[in-house]
Amino acid sequence: MGFLIKLAFKNLSRHKLRTFISMIAIAFSVLIVVFARGYITGLIDSVSADNIQYNSGHIKIVKENYYEQSRLLPLDYPVDGFNGNGLSNMIDRLENVEGVQSAIPRLKFGAMASREGEMINMMGWGIIPGKELEYTDVENFIVEGRMVNNGEKEIVMGTKLLKDVGKEVGDKITIVYNTSYNSLQGTTFKIVGRFETGLRLLNEVVFYLPLDLAQEKLYMDDMTTELLLMTGSSARSLKILPEIRDIFKEQYEDNPYKVLSYREANELIPWMEMASLIYNEIYIFLVLLASIVVVNTMIMIVRERTQEVGMMKAMGLEGRDILYLFTIEGAIMGIFGSFAGALTGSLLNGYFAENGLNLTSVTSGFNADLVFNAYIYTNQSLSNTMFAFVLGIVIVTLACLIPAVRASKLEPTDAMREI
C-alpha cells in the first residue's frame, strides 16, 4: 500500500496545474458548505433565540380568544390567573414546577403619539424590568440612558421610533391608548432610555414601560395579556410542556387558555428547521458538482495512462491494485482540497461569528411585527468544519471509483495496443 501511495503522489505531480485546479474546485465547494452550514445554523439559532426572548418564551400562555386576535392587541381576554383569582397566584404555581426558571408577564397594547398633527402608531409593552433584563438581552441594546423603573412614568423607545415621534432621551411625550374599558386615555411619560437592535419590532414599534404602571393606566390590576415561561433550554421546555398543560386541565373543565410551545407560537422556527434539513441535501449536491471536475480529470488520466496501466498489469499488478492506485489519487486530491476549503470556510465563519452579517437591506421589506434580526452571526464549530471536510473526502473518493474501476478492468494486451 505504501508503494501505491508514493506512486499516486508521483502521478499527481506530473500535471500540477490540472491537479491544482481539481483541488481548487473541491476546496471551493467545501468552503461553501462550511460557510452555508455556519450561516444557516446561526440564522436558526438567532431566529429561535429572538423569538423566545421577545415573542413566546419557551412556553407561552394566553387566552385562546386573545391568540386568535393577537394582531389587534385586544385587552378583553387577559391572563388573570386560574378562574380569575389573579395573575400572581398563577405565577407562583407555575414557578414551582420543576424546570421552570421564571414566569415573565407582559402586557401588550396599542398606542399612538402625535407629531405635527400626524399620529404615529406604536405598541406598548408593560414589563417587569428586572425579569426582562435577566432573561432577555435587551440590556445589550440600550445605547443611551437606562431601563425603566417600577412604578415610574417612564418609557424606553427604539432609535427609529424616537426619530418618528421627534423626541430624544430626557424628553417627555404624551401617549394615547385605549383602556380595558375601551375608553381613550392619555399619559405623559419621560423617555429614560433608547435601544438600538437589528429587530425592527423593537427599533420601530415597541416602547417599554413598567408593568405596574401599565396595569394601573389600563385598569388591568393583576392582569396581563400573556405569560411567558422560561425553562433554560428549548429541549427542556418540550419535556415540561405536558405538565404545564395538565395543570390547566386540572383547573378547568373547559380550559380558556392556550399553552403553546415556542415552536407552536412562532411561524418562522418550523420553517427554519425544515430549511436546515433541505440544506443538508444541497451540501451534498454542491460537493458532487465539484466531484465532476475531479472525475473528468481522472478519466483523462486513465486515458492518458492506458498503455502504462497495461504495462503495470503485465508486470504483475492485479486489477484491485490499479483500482486502489487511482482511488488513492482521487482521495489525495479530496483530502488536500477539502482541508483547504474547510480551513478557509472556518476562518470565514470565525470572522462573521465575531462581526456578523448585516442584512438590513434585505429585512427592510419585512413586516416590522416579524421577529427577525437584521444582524446574523454565523455559527463556528469544529463539528461543522469536520462535517464538510469528511463530506468532501468521502464524496470525491467515491466519485473517483468510476474511472478507477474502468482502469482496473483494462486487459494488459488491449491496453498496451491503445495509443
Side-chain angles (χ1 to χ4, degrees):
M1 184 61 72
F3 166 74
L4 292 177
I5 293 174
K6 289 180 181 178
L7 186 59
F9 272 107
K10 183 178 179 181
N11 289 335
L12 288 174
S13 66
R14 291 181 182 181
H15 300 280
K16 293 184 178 63
L17 180 60
R18 187 166 61 191
T19 302
F20 179 73
I21 291 173
S22 297
M23 288 193 292
I24 286 295
I26 299 166
F28 183 73
S29 66
V30 171
L31 183 156
I32 294 297
V33 170
V34 173
F35 178 73
R37 208 159 184 259
Y39 171 77
I40 294 299
T41 305
L43 178 63
I44 292 173
D45 290 347
S46 173
V47 169
S48 298
D50 288 337
N51 274 279
I52 286 170
Q53 291 185 59
Y54 299 108
N55 180 23
S56 67
H58 289 109
I59 298 172
K60 186 173 187 175
I61 299 167
V62 293
K63 285 284 179 69
E64 188 155 1
N65 290 334
Y66 178 86
Y67 177 74
E68 293 169 356
Q69 304 174 40
S70 57
R71 291 186 180 276
L72 301 176
L73 301 174
L75 301 176
D76 304 317
Y77 312 107
V79 177
D80 54 359
F82 296 117
N83 299 300
N85 290 325
L87 177 66
S88 301
N89 289 332
M90 176 181 281
I91 288 177
D92 290 341
R93 174 71 179 88
L94 295 176
E95 286 187 334
N96 283 326
V97 174
E98 185 177 355
V100 175
Q101 295 181 350
S102 182
I104 300 178
R106 284 186 186 149
L107 179 49
K108 296 182 178 180
F109 59 97
M112 296 179 295
S114 175
R115 182 188 181 186
E116 299 176 355
E118 180 185 357
M119 299 305 294
I120 309 296
N121 293 318
M122 57 187 75
M123 184 193 304
W125 283 16
I127 55 132
I128 298 176
K131 287 194 172 186
E132 290 292 327
L133 294 176
E134 183 178 0
Y135 288 98
T136 72
D137 57 3
V138 67
E139 187 173 21
N140 298 332
F141 305 127
I142 298 178
V143 293
E144 185 180 0
R146 58 172 174 81
M147 179 52 86
V148 296
N149 290 324
N150 288 321
E152 301 293 335
K153 289 184 180 180
E154 302 174 340
I155 61 172
V156 174
M157 283 184 165
T159 299
K160 177 66 165 54
L161 186 55
L162 271 174
K163 183 179 178 181
D164 289 345
V165 296
K167 299 292 183 179
E168 297 179 350
V169 173
D171 291 346
K172 291 187 177 182
I173 183 173
T174 299
I175 294 177
V176 179
Y177 48 87
N178 263 329
T179 70
S180 60
Y181 294 121
N182 204 28
S183 60
L184 203 62
Q185 186 167 305
T187 301
T188 300
F189 298 92
K190 182 179 180 181
I191 303 169
V192 296
R194 172 175 67 90
F195 47 72
E196 188 166 349
T197 171
L199 295 171
R200 290 187 64 202
L201 175 67
L202 295 186
N203 272 355
E204 303 177 16
V205 180
V206 169
F207 67 91
Y208 283 164
L209 73 161
L211 177 62
D212 52 3
L213 182 67
Q215 290 172 329
E216 176 190 333
K217 297 299 179 183
L218 297 170
Y219 306 110
M220 296 182 67
D221 184 43
D222 206 20
M223 290 183 281
T224 188
T225 52
E226 62 186 37
L227 186 64
L228 312 181
L229 303 185
M230 295 298 187
T231 63
S233 73
S234 302
R236 187 184 301 169
S237 70
L238 297 177
K239 295 178 181 178
I240 297 172
L241 184 63
E243 183 178 352
I244 300 297
R245 285 175 172 165
D246 287 342
I247 290 173
F248 280 85
K249 288 178 183 177
E250 291 169 5
Q251 297 290 329
Y252 298 96
E253 289 185 8
D254 185 17
N255 184 11
Y257 286 100
K258 205 166 184 67
V259 181
L260 304 164
S261 71
Y262 70 97
R263 296 183 80 257
E264 294 168 325
N266 299 302
E267 298 176 357
L268 275 178
I269 292 177
W271 286 105
M272 290 292 178
E273 292 174 348
M274 184 182 297
S276 179
L277 296 175
I278 295 171
Y279 270 96
N280 283 333
E281 309 298 326
I282 295 175
Y283 302 146
I284 295 173
F285 179 71
L286 284 172
V287 181
L288 279 173
L289 283 178
S291 297
I292 293 173
V293 177
V294 182
V295 170
N296 186 54
T297 300
M298 294 301 295
I299 290 173
M300 290 172 61
I301 291 172
V302 170
R303 286 188 175 277
E304 290 174 358
R305 289 160 47 190
T306 298
Q307 286 184 316
E308 183 181 321
V309 170
M311 189 178 297
M312 285 191 292
K313 279 200 165 186
M315 293 176 66
L317 253 66
E318 297 181 3
R320 66 180 181 183
D321 295 322
I322 303 298
L323 175 67
Y324 291 158
L325 175 62
F326 283 97
T327 303
I328 290 169
E329 290 182 23
I332 290 170
M333 288 191 286
I335 290 170
F336 281 95
S338 296
F339 178 79
L343 179 62
T344 308
S346 180
L347 293 173
L348 195 63
N349 266 349
Y351 175 81
F352 286 111
E354 182 70 25
N355 299 285
L357 281 160
N358 188 346
L359 303 180
T360 304
S361 59
V362 177
T363 60
S364 60
F366 289 7
N367 191 312
D369 293 340
L370 191 66
V371 182
F372 191 100
N373 204 318
Y375 295 92
I376 303 299
Y377 294 85
T378 56
N379 179 276
Q380 187 188 30
S381 66
L382 180 61
S383 60
N384 177 31
T385 305
M386 289 303 298
F387 168 83
F389 176 63
V390 173
L391 181 69
I393 294 172
V394 170
I395 291 181
V396 170
T397 302
L398 290 176
C400 287
L401 286 174
I402 299 169
V405 168
R406 180 182 181 278
S408 68
K409 290 182 178 180
L410 288 172
E411 291 296 330
T413 54
D414 294 337
M416 293 180 70
R417 278 201 300 268
E418 288 195 26
I419 299 177

